[in-house]
Short mmCIF file of all heavy atoms in Angstrom, two decimals:
data_model
loop_
_atom_site.label_atom_id
_atom_site.label_comp_id
_atom_site.label_asym_id
_atom_site.label_seq_id
_atom_site.Cartn_x
_atom_site.Cartn_y
_atom_site.Cartn_z
N ASP A 41 -9.11 23.57 5.85
CA ASP A 41 -9.90 24.26 4.68
C ASP A 41 -11.31 23.89 4.71
O ASP A 41 -12.08 24.51 4.11
CB ASP A 41 -9.23 23.86 3.45
CG ASP A 41 -8.01 24.69 3.20
OD1 ASP A 41 -7.64 25.67 4.05
OD2 ASP A 41 -7.28 24.54 2.13
N ASP A 42 -11.77 22.73 5.38
CA ASP A 42 -13.12 22.41 5.43
C ASP A 42 -13.84 23.09 6.65
O ASP A 42 -15.10 22.99 6.67
CB ASP A 42 -13.26 20.91 5.66
CG ASP A 42 -12.82 20.05 4.33
OD1 ASP A 42 -12.78 20.74 3.28
OD2 ASP A 42 -12.40 18.93 4.43
N TYR A 43 -13.19 23.71 7.44
CA TYR A 43 -13.77 24.31 8.60
C TYR A 43 -14.10 25.83 8.27
O TYR A 43 -13.40 26.41 7.57
CB TYR A 43 -12.73 24.39 9.83
CG TYR A 43 -13.00 25.12 11.05
CD1 TYR A 43 -14.02 24.56 12.02
CD2 TYR A 43 -12.61 26.45 11.21
CE1 TYR A 43 -14.28 25.35 12.99
CE2 TYR A 43 -12.89 27.18 12.32
CZ TYR A 43 -13.69 26.62 13.30
OH TYR A 43 -14.02 27.34 14.43
N SER A 44 -15.30 26.34 8.69
CA SER A 44 -15.68 27.64 8.51
C SER A 44 -14.91 28.58 9.30
O SER A 44 -15.19 28.72 10.60
CB SER A 44 -17.26 27.76 8.77
OG SER A 44 -17.67 29.10 8.58
N ILE A 45 -13.83 29.22 8.79
CA ILE A 45 -12.81 29.91 9.52
C ILE A 45 -13.49 31.14 10.26
O ILE A 45 -12.98 31.58 11.36
CB ILE A 45 -11.65 30.35 8.64
CG1 ILE A 45 -10.51 30.79 9.64
CG2 ILE A 45 -12.13 31.31 7.68
CD1 ILE A 45 -9.21 30.86 8.94
N THR A 46 -14.62 31.67 9.80
CA THR A 46 -15.26 32.71 10.50
C THR A 46 -15.76 32.30 11.85
O THR A 46 -16.04 33.23 12.76
CB THR A 46 -16.34 33.35 9.59
OG1 THR A 46 -17.28 32.23 9.34
CG2 THR A 46 -15.78 33.98 8.35
N GLN A 47 -15.89 30.99 12.08
CA GLN A 47 -16.47 30.48 13.36
C GLN A 47 -15.29 30.44 14.35
O GLN A 47 -15.60 30.43 15.59
CB GLN A 47 -16.77 29.14 13.12
CG GLN A 47 -17.20 28.20 14.35
CD GLN A 47 -18.52 28.78 15.02
OE1 GLN A 47 -19.27 29.36 14.34
NE2 GLN A 47 -18.66 28.45 16.24
N LEU A 48 -14.08 30.86 13.97
CA LEU A 48 -12.86 30.77 14.90
C LEU A 48 -13.07 31.70 16.04
O LEU A 48 -12.61 31.62 17.18
CB LEU A 48 -11.51 30.90 14.11
CG LEU A 48 -10.32 30.38 14.76
CD1 LEU A 48 -10.31 28.94 15.03
CD2 LEU A 48 -9.02 30.72 13.88
N ILE A 49 -13.57 32.95 15.69
CA ILE A 49 -13.70 33.92 16.64
C ILE A 49 -14.63 33.77 17.75
O ILE A 49 -14.67 34.32 18.78
CB ILE A 49 -14.03 35.26 15.98
CG1 ILE A 49 -15.38 35.27 15.34
CG2 ILE A 49 -12.92 35.71 15.10
CD1 ILE A 49 -15.98 36.64 14.94
N HIS A 50 -15.51 32.65 17.52
CA HIS A 50 -16.44 32.13 18.55
C HIS A 50 -16.01 31.02 19.40
O HIS A 50 -16.75 30.60 20.39
CB HIS A 50 -17.81 31.89 17.84
CG HIS A 50 -18.34 32.96 17.01
ND1 HIS A 50 -18.78 34.23 17.55
CD2 HIS A 50 -18.54 33.03 15.68
CE1 HIS A 50 -19.12 34.96 16.65
NE2 HIS A 50 -19.12 34.30 15.41
N GLU A 51 -14.88 30.31 18.94
CA GLU A 51 -14.52 29.09 19.72
C GLU A 51 -13.71 29.63 21.00
O GLU A 51 -13.08 30.61 21.05
CB GLU A 51 -13.46 28.32 18.82
CG GLU A 51 -14.13 27.96 17.46
CD GLU A 51 -15.16 26.93 17.58
OE1 GLU A 51 -15.46 26.55 18.72
OE2 GLU A 51 -15.43 26.27 16.49
N LYS A 52 -13.84 28.75 21.90
CA LYS A 52 -13.10 28.90 23.19
C LYS A 52 -11.87 28.11 23.19
O LYS A 52 -10.69 28.63 23.70
CB LYS A 52 -13.90 28.47 24.49
CG LYS A 52 -15.18 29.38 24.82
CD LYS A 52 -15.94 28.88 26.06
CE LYS A 52 -14.99 29.45 27.08
NZ LYS A 52 -15.63 29.26 28.39
N VAL A 53 -11.87 26.78 22.66
CA VAL A 53 -10.56 26.06 22.56
C VAL A 53 -10.67 25.33 21.25
O VAL A 53 -11.60 24.81 20.86
CB VAL A 53 -10.46 25.00 23.72
CG1 VAL A 53 -9.34 24.17 23.70
CG2 VAL A 53 -10.62 25.71 25.14
N VAL A 54 -9.40 25.30 20.57
CA VAL A 54 -9.21 24.60 19.35
C VAL A 54 -7.86 23.81 19.48
O VAL A 54 -6.82 24.37 19.90
CB VAL A 54 -9.26 25.49 18.08
CG1 VAL A 54 -8.95 24.66 16.82
CG2 VAL A 54 -10.68 26.15 18.06
N VAL A 55 -7.88 22.57 18.90
CA VAL A 55 -6.49 21.89 18.75
C VAL A 55 -6.28 21.88 17.36
O VAL A 55 -6.99 21.49 16.50
CB VAL A 55 -6.73 20.41 19.36
CG1 VAL A 55 -5.42 19.64 19.01
CG2 VAL A 55 -7.03 20.51 20.87
N PHE A 56 -5.01 22.19 16.90
CA PHE A 56 -4.42 22.08 15.63
C PHE A 56 -3.48 20.99 15.43
O PHE A 56 -2.51 21.03 16.31
CB PHE A 56 -3.98 23.49 15.08
CG PHE A 56 -4.85 24.59 15.31
CD1 PHE A 56 -4.91 25.30 16.38
CD2 PHE A 56 -5.67 24.86 14.02
CE1 PHE A 56 -5.86 26.49 16.40
CE2 PHE A 56 -6.54 25.99 14.15
CZ PHE A 56 -6.68 26.70 15.42
N VAL A 57 -3.41 20.23 14.45
CA VAL A 57 -2.52 19.26 14.12
C VAL A 57 -2.04 19.36 12.66
O VAL A 57 -2.91 19.32 11.84
CB VAL A 57 -2.96 17.80 14.33
CG1 VAL A 57 -1.88 16.80 14.13
CG2 VAL A 57 -3.56 17.67 15.84
N CYS A 58 -0.76 19.67 12.47
CA CYS A 58 -0.40 19.83 11.08
C CYS A 58 1.01 19.28 10.72
O CYS A 58 1.87 19.25 11.53
CB CYS A 58 -0.50 21.41 10.63
SG CYS A 58 0.60 22.47 11.38
N SER A 59 1.16 18.89 9.44
CA SER A 59 2.36 18.51 8.94
C SER A 59 2.90 19.65 8.07
O SER A 59 2.32 20.68 7.93
CB SER A 59 2.32 17.24 8.13
OG SER A 59 1.31 17.43 7.16
N THR A 60 4.17 19.34 7.51
CA THR A 60 4.90 20.37 6.75
C THR A 60 5.18 19.80 5.34
O THR A 60 5.41 18.58 5.20
CB THR A 60 6.10 20.91 7.43
OG1 THR A 60 5.79 21.61 8.62
CG2 THR A 60 6.86 22.01 6.67
N THR A 61 5.21 20.58 4.28
CA THR A 61 5.47 20.18 2.89
C THR A 61 6.53 21.12 2.32
O THR A 61 6.73 22.15 2.69
CB THR A 61 4.27 20.10 2.08
OG1 THR A 61 3.80 21.33 1.76
CG2 THR A 61 3.22 19.22 2.66
N GLY A 62 7.20 20.49 1.25
CA GLY A 62 8.19 21.29 0.51
C GLY A 62 9.07 22.18 1.18
O GLY A 62 9.86 21.82 2.09
N GLN A 63 8.96 23.54 0.74
CA GLN A 63 9.86 24.58 1.32
C GLN A 63 9.23 25.09 2.64
O GLN A 63 9.23 26.32 2.79
CB GLN A 63 10.04 25.67 0.40
CG GLN A 63 10.42 25.26 -1.07
CD GLN A 63 11.68 24.34 -1.20
OE1 GLN A 63 12.69 24.69 -0.62
NE2 GLN A 63 11.62 23.29 -1.86
N GLY A 64 8.94 24.27 3.50
CA GLY A 64 8.35 24.60 4.84
C GLY A 64 6.90 25.13 4.60
O GLY A 64 6.34 25.98 5.47
N GLU A 65 6.21 24.75 3.64
CA GLU A 65 4.83 25.20 3.23
C GLU A 65 3.86 24.32 4.01
O GLU A 65 4.09 23.31 4.57
CB GLU A 65 4.63 24.99 1.74
CG GLU A 65 5.50 25.89 0.90
CD GLU A 65 5.41 25.61 -0.58
OE1 GLU A 65 4.67 24.61 -0.88
OE2 GLU A 65 6.07 26.09 -1.31
N GLU A 66 2.70 25.01 4.12
CA GLU A 66 1.50 24.33 4.82
C GLU A 66 0.99 23.21 3.75
O GLU A 66 0.97 23.39 2.52
CB GLU A 66 0.45 25.32 5.08
CG GLU A 66 -0.10 26.15 4.10
CD GLU A 66 0.91 27.20 3.53
OE1 GLU A 66 1.91 27.62 4.23
OE2 GLU A 66 0.66 27.70 2.48
N PRO A 67 0.29 22.17 4.32
CA PRO A 67 -0.30 21.17 3.47
C PRO A 67 -1.51 21.77 2.54
O PRO A 67 -1.99 22.90 2.91
CB PRO A 67 -0.90 20.15 4.40
CG PRO A 67 -0.16 20.38 5.56
CD PRO A 67 0.21 21.81 5.75
N ASP A 68 -1.78 21.23 1.54
CA ASP A 68 -2.92 21.54 0.65
C ASP A 68 -4.12 21.94 1.26
O ASP A 68 -4.93 22.84 0.88
CB ASP A 68 -3.13 20.68 -0.63
CG ASP A 68 -2.01 20.70 -1.65
OD1 ASP A 68 -1.10 21.67 -1.53
OD2 ASP A 68 -1.95 19.92 -2.52
N ASN A 69 -4.54 20.99 2.22
CA ASN A 69 -5.76 21.26 2.83
C ASN A 69 -5.83 22.20 3.98
O ASN A 69 -6.80 22.11 4.94
CB ASN A 69 -6.53 19.88 3.20
CG ASN A 69 -5.56 19.03 4.22
OD1 ASN A 69 -4.48 19.51 4.77
ND2 ASN A 69 -5.97 17.88 4.54
N MET A 70 -4.78 23.06 4.14
CA MET A 70 -4.70 24.03 5.22
C MET A 70 -4.26 25.33 4.44
O MET A 70 -4.48 26.34 5.13
CB MET A 70 -3.61 23.62 6.07
CG MET A 70 -3.02 24.53 7.07
SD MET A 70 -1.69 24.09 8.02
CE MET A 70 -1.26 25.54 8.97
N LYS A 71 -4.19 25.37 3.12
CA LYS A 71 -3.74 26.66 2.50
C LYS A 71 -4.75 27.77 2.62
O LYS A 71 -4.26 28.92 2.92
CB LYS A 71 -3.35 26.42 0.93
CG LYS A 71 -2.10 25.52 0.80
CD LYS A 71 -1.76 25.41 -0.65
CE LYS A 71 -0.51 24.49 -0.84
NZ LYS A 71 0.66 25.07 -0.26
N ASN A 72 -5.99 27.64 2.35
CA ASN A 72 -6.90 28.63 2.38
C ASN A 72 -7.06 29.11 3.84
O ASN A 72 -7.21 30.32 4.01
CB ASN A 72 -8.28 28.18 1.93
CG ASN A 72 -8.20 27.98 0.28
OD1 ASN A 72 -7.27 28.45 -0.33
ND2 ASN A 72 -9.10 26.91 -0.05
N PHE A 73 -7.06 28.27 4.80
CA PHE A 73 -7.15 28.59 6.22
C PHE A 73 -6.06 29.50 6.55
O PHE A 73 -6.19 30.54 7.19
CB PHE A 73 -7.17 27.36 7.08
CG PHE A 73 -7.24 27.50 8.52
CD1 PHE A 73 -8.51 27.54 9.28
CD2 PHE A 73 -6.19 27.78 9.29
CE1 PHE A 73 -8.66 27.68 10.48
CE2 PHE A 73 -6.32 27.85 10.70
CZ PHE A 73 -7.64 27.95 11.21
N TRP A 74 -4.83 29.07 6.22
CA TRP A 74 -3.66 29.90 6.51
C TRP A 74 -3.60 31.24 5.81
O TRP A 74 -3.13 32.27 6.48
CB TRP A 74 -2.44 29.08 6.13
CG TRP A 74 -1.10 29.75 6.28
CD1 TRP A 74 -0.09 30.06 5.47
CD2 TRP A 74 -0.48 30.10 7.60
NE1 TRP A 74 0.88 30.68 5.96
CE2 TRP A 74 0.70 30.80 7.38
CE3 TRP A 74 -0.94 30.14 8.89
CZ2 TRP A 74 1.48 31.30 8.37
CZ3 TRP A 74 -0.26 30.72 9.97
CH2 TRP A 74 1.04 31.23 9.57
#
Side-chain angles (χ1 to χ4, degrees):
D41 281 357
D42 293 337
Y43 172 81
S44 178
I45 193 167
T46 54
Q47 174 69 23
L48 201 59
I49 60 171
H50 304 295
E51 304 286 9
K52 294 189 71 177
V53 182
V54 177
V55 175
F56 299 91
V57 183
C58 66
S59 56
T60 297
T61 66
Q63 313 300 314
E65 297 168 358
E66 59 286 344
D68 284 349
N69 58 6
M70 174 184 168
K71 287 187 183 297
N72 293 332
F73 183 93
W74 178 242

